[in-house]
């Protein structure tokens, strides 16, 4: 299945170590994994879970499960034990794979996941875990007799509560039938057998997982970064003549903030398509990236739920600054709180119609809450569509600030403040105000902590940032106060856990309404 014509071609190269896994290894090892799962009693439709760092075996495990017709849940390698326990049990996993690096958390799972019959570990073992390398050594390298398409079941990152698994029906198609994502990547971004794809994000996130799995199906080569480092990323692009990559805006910011003499040293001319998503990209950041890398930057708006897909090219974006694109899958509908469709240009809840359906695993209420009476579905985001059909995001519904009856979307202030040279990262949200209900607060991770290491410096920089924001936005949209943190709680994919910050300011209140 994997690049039959080029068995010795590298399927994946680990960035830090240079370890290369050939397509022959992928074919043989994923077959071994499928046999191991069958021997453990797992049948089509059953579930497994994987929790490990960006490991050389990660995608061989996923492909083994996929070939066995299973649902595979890739859990964040940063989960606490309580979070991991919840996901493994909620997804119904019957097998759990991890690495010795995660032994401390994994050990606690042994007595807390009653449905799991196979606990396996790479790079060594602890009591209760089989050595995966040993278990696979005796397995056949040929395909299992009943190969079938599996599917991932990934969990939302839990920014508004318990994460929920996004469950889709297993495809009733032969393993040789190419999925929709294959055709999309080939047709929209030019992915092919000749693709060299850099993956700078955690493998367990939806986009890196699905894109890497598709690159492997195509016969391309993945350059897998264990951790994102802006200069190392540029060096890898030059070294391997990378043609495609997917990033999040925070990675763009970090590369742009390198010394110009450093970042312009590297040759990035091999790039053909650079894709970004997962979080809104500030307009100045995207402009600078297009100026630097050329009109090769594509953006899309979609979710793990797979209920719609919106895309935009560099040329389209430059003509409609700030847009995330036009719908390529699903029809866009923007509705008010009563479900009525809004006129062009007015922001409201974004729904996709005439698109694939999904459900939140074990949560019919959340599934129902994502549905419009007409059957459309939403990811819970706020935005509007212009006269040309281009979609603009203004915020997630849960982050909206209501101050004195005025709806404020904090993304606008974040986009401005993130471009200040003394700002490393920023979160804007609502905090209690007895007169207006909420007021706008910014919490900033300074680029250099020395800028705020005394009350006087912190006060001065706070005032400077407020003035900077007010120079570009209406006063009501700008923070009235600024606090500083050494590091903001971001998911490795770039998503900000704003709830963790916001909850501190609402502590002790029974309601988050004043």
């Amino acid at each position: 299945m994997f690049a039959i014509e080029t068995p010795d071609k590298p399927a994946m190269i680990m960035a830090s170590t240079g370890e290369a896994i050939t397509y022959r290894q992928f074919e043989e090892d994923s077959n071994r994994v499928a046999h191991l799962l069958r021997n453990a009693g797992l049948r089509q439709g059953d579930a497994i879970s994987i929790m490990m760092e960006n490991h050389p075996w990660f995608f061989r495990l996923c492909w083994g499960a996929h070939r066995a017709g299973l649902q595979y849940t890739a859990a964040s390698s940063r989960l606490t034990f309580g979070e991991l326990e919840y996901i493994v049990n909620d997804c119904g996993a019957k097998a759990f794979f991890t690495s010795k690096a995660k032994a401390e958390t994994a050990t606690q799972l042994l007595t807390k996941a009653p449905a799991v019959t196979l606990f396996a570990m790479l790079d060594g073992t602890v009591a209760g875990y089989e050595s995966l390398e040993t278990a696979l050594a005796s397995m056949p390298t040929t395909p299992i007799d009943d190969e079938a398409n599996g599917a991932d079941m990934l969990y939302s990152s839990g920014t508004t509560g318990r994460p929920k698994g996004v469950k889709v029906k297993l495809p009733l198609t032969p393993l040789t039938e190419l999925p929709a994502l294959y055709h999309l990547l080939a047709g929209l971004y030019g992915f092919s057998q000749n693709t060299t794809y850099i993956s700078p994000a955690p493998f367990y996130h939806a986009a890196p997982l699905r894109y890497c799995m598709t690159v492997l199906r195509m016969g391309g080569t993945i350059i897998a970064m264990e951790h994102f480092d802006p200069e190392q990323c540029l060096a890898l692009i030059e070294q391997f003549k990378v043609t495609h990559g997917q990033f999040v805006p925070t990675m763009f910011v970090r590369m742009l903030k390198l010394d110009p003499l450093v970042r312009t040293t590297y040759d990035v001319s091999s790039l053909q398509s650079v894709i970004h998503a997962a979080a809104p990209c500030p307009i100045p950041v995207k402009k600078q990236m297009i100026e630097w890398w050329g009109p090769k930057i594509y953006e899309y708006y979609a979710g793990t739920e797979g209920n719609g897909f919106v895309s935009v090219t560099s040329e389209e974006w430059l003509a409609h600054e700030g847009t995330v694109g036009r719908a390529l899958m699903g029809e866009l509908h923007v509705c008010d709180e009563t479900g009525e469709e809004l006129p062009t240009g007015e922001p409201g809840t974004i729904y996709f119609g005439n698109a694939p359906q999904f459900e939140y695993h074990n949560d019919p209420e959340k599934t129902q809450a994502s549905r419009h009476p007409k059957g459309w579905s939403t990811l819970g985001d706020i935005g509007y569509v212009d006269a040309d059909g281009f979609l603009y995001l203004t915020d997630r519904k849960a982050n909206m600030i209501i101050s004195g009856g005025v709806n404020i979307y904090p993304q606008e202030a974040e986009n401005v403040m993130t471009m200040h040279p003394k700002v490393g990262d920023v979160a804007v949200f609502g905090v209690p105000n007895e007169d207006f209900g909420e007021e706008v607060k910014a919490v900033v991770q300074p680029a250099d902590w020395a800028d705020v290491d005394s009350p006087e410096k912190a006060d001065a920089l706070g005032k400077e940032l407020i003035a900077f924001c007010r120079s570009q936005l209406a006063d009501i949209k700008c923070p009235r106060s600024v606090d500083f943190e050494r590091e903001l709680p971001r998911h490795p994919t770039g998503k900000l856990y704003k709830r963790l910050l916001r909850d501190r300011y609402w502590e002790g209140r029974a309601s988050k309404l004043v």
Side-chain angles (χ1 to χ4, degrees):
M1 175 181 173
F2 290 105
I4 296 172
E5 304 86 359
T6 56
D8 296 321
K9 177 181 178 177
M12 186 164 77
I13 299 172
M14 302 305 295
S16 295
T17 64
E19 178 185 356
I21 303 100
T22 67
Y23 271 99
R24 179 183 285 107
Q25 287 175 275
F26 252 95
E27 175 70 19
E28 294 178 351
D29 289 339
S30 63
N31 283 328
R32 286 188 173 105
V33 171
H35 279 287
L36 178 66
L37 292 167
R38 283 287 185 267
N39 287 359
L42 279 78
R43 297 294 177 258
Q44 290 183 29
D46 285 341
I48 72 162
S49 183
I50 302 167
M51 192 271 283
M52 63 180 65
E53 67 277 20
N54 282 12
H55 194 285
W57 268 91
F58 191 99
F59 292 115
R60 283 176 276 182
L61 291 171
C62 290
W63 262 113
H66 192 101
R67 302 179 78 155
L70 306 183
Q71 288 191 305
Y72 43 100
T73 292
S76 167
S77 59
R78 294 190 171 194
L79 294 181
T80 64
F81 165 66
E83 292 168 322
L84 177 65
E85 177 190 8
Y86 164 75
I87 286 177
V88 169
N89 288 315
D90 187 70
C91 76
K94 293 185 177 180
F96 176 71
F97 298 102
T98 189
S99 68
K100 186 68 178 294
K102 303 300 170 185
E104 183 177 350
T105 303
T107 299
Q108 299 175 69
L109 190 66
L110 288 166
T111 59
K112 298 294 185 178
V116 176
T117 58
L118 172 63
F119 290 92
M121 184 175 287
L122 288 157
D123 306 328
T125 59
V126 294
Y129 277 82
E130 291 186 48
S131 162
L132 182 57
E133 294 93 337
T134 300
L136 291 175
S138 60
M139 295 293 118
T141 60
T142 52
I144 57 174
D145 293 333
D146 58 341
E147 277 194 325
N149 266 308
D152 60 57
M153 185 172 81
L154 305 182
Y155 278 68
S156 65
S157 51
T159 54
T160 56
R162 278 280 200 183
K164 294 298 176 185
V166 178
K167 191 168 187 176
V168 297
K169 291 182 179 179
L170 289 176
L172 301 175
T173 54
L175 194 62
T176 53
E177 186 166 321
L178 301 176
L181 183 59
Y182 183 106
H183 298 292
L184 186 147
L185 296 188
L188 196 61
Y189 306 130
F191 279 66
S192 72
Q193 186 174 2
N194 298 319
T195 290
T196 301
Y197 175 76
I198 191 163
S199 184
F203 293 161
Y204 56 77
H205 188 59
L209 172 60
R210 292 169 179 171
Y211 276 55
C212 285
M213 292 285 280
T214 304
V215 170
L216 291 168
R217 189 188 277 268
M218 287 180 167
T221 297
I222 298 166
I223 309 301
M225 296 186 72
E226 292 86 349
H227 304 282
F228 178 72
D229 175 85
E231 187 173 355
Q232 183 196 29
C233 182
L234 295 173
L236 291 167
I237 292 171
E238 178 180 87
Q239 178 184 354
F240 293 102
K241 294 181 171 53
V242 169
T243 60
H244 294 72
Q246 183 167 177
F247 299 84
V248 294
T250 51
M251 295 175 181
F252 287 163
V253 171
R254 288 183 63 188
M255 287 188 284
L256 287 168
K257 288 190 174 182
L258 289 171
D259 186 316
L261 293 176
V262 173
R263 65 179 173 86
T264 56
T265 298
Y266 297 98
D267 180 4
V268 296
S269 62
S270 61
L271 290 170
Q272 298 172 15
S273 295
V274 176
I275 305 145
H276 74 91
C281 187
I283 288 175
V285 171
K286 188 156 181 176
K287 279 185 173 179
Q288 290 178 58
M289 288 303 300
I290 294 172
E291 289 171 3
W292 179 16
W293 285 2
K296 307 171 182 179
I297 297 178
Y298 296 80
E299 182 172 1
Y300 71 84
Y301 166 66
T304 304
E305 291 82 350
N307 62 329
F309 189 88
V310 173
S311 180
V312 64
T313 66
S314 290
E315 292 85 355
E316 289 172 326
W317 186 89
L318 288 168
H320 299 79
E321 286 186 4
T323 184
V324 292
R326 288 186 285 195
L328 298 185
M329 181 177 73
E331 301 163 353
L332 289 172
H333 302 274
V334 178
C335 301
D336 64 17
E337 294 295 328
T338 68
E340 291 296 315
E341 287 203 68
L342 290 165
T344 298
E346 286 196 27
T349 301
I350 303 162
Y351 288 89
F352 287 102
N354 192 27
Q357 293 295 303
F358 66 92
E359 65 181 49
Y360 291 108
H361 186 54
N362 290 336
D363 197 336
E365 289 185 5
K366 185 173 182 180
T367 300
Q368 183 59 36
S370 72
R371 300 294 195 267
H372 187 277
K374 292 185 178 180
W376 309 330
S377 61
T378 181
L379 302 174
D381 291 322
I382 302 292
Y384 65 91
V385 177
D386 70 13
D388 296 322
F390 286 89
L391 175 66
Y392 298 74
L393 302 181
T394 51
D395 214 331
R396 288 194 60 82
K397 192 172 185 178
N399 292 335
M400 185 172 68
I401 302 166
I402 303 177
S403 183
V406 177
N407 291 351
I408 300 168
Y409 302 105
Q411 189 66 51
E412 292 181 88
E414 289 174 352
N415 286 350
V416 170
M417 296 179 73
T418 195
M419 296 310 299
H420 192 284
K422 294 182 180 178
V423 172
D425 202 358
V426 59
V428 175
F429 48 89
V431 296
N433 180 290
E434 297 298 329
D435 294 326
F436 298 104
E438 291 181 282
E439 68 179 62
V440 183
K441 163 74 74 175
V443 177
V444 169
Q445 175 183 318
D448 184 349
W449 189 255
D451 290 335
V452 295
D453 62 3
S454 72
E456 295 78 13
K457 289 182 180 180
D459 181 63
L461 182 54
K463 290 176 179 176
E464 180 181 338
L465 295 177
I466 292 171
F468 179 75
C469 189
R470 288 180 176 178
S471 72
Q472 300 181 54
L473 293 176
D475 286 1
I476 188 137
K477 296 181 179 181
C478 297
R480 296 182 62 174
S481 58
V482 179
D483 291 343
F484 296 95
E485 295 279 351
R486 287 189 178 272
E487 185 174 5
L488 298 192
R490 276 197 182 270
H491 189 281
T493 61
K495 184 174 287 186
L496 180 66
Y497 287 103
K498 196 176 291 188
R499 173 178 53 85
L500 299 179
L501 295 169
R502 187 174 185 267
D503 284 354
R504 299 176 195 171
Y505 296 88
W506 293 85
E507 190 173 353
R509 293 176 180 267
S511 170
K512 289 184 172 60
L513 298 174
V514 179

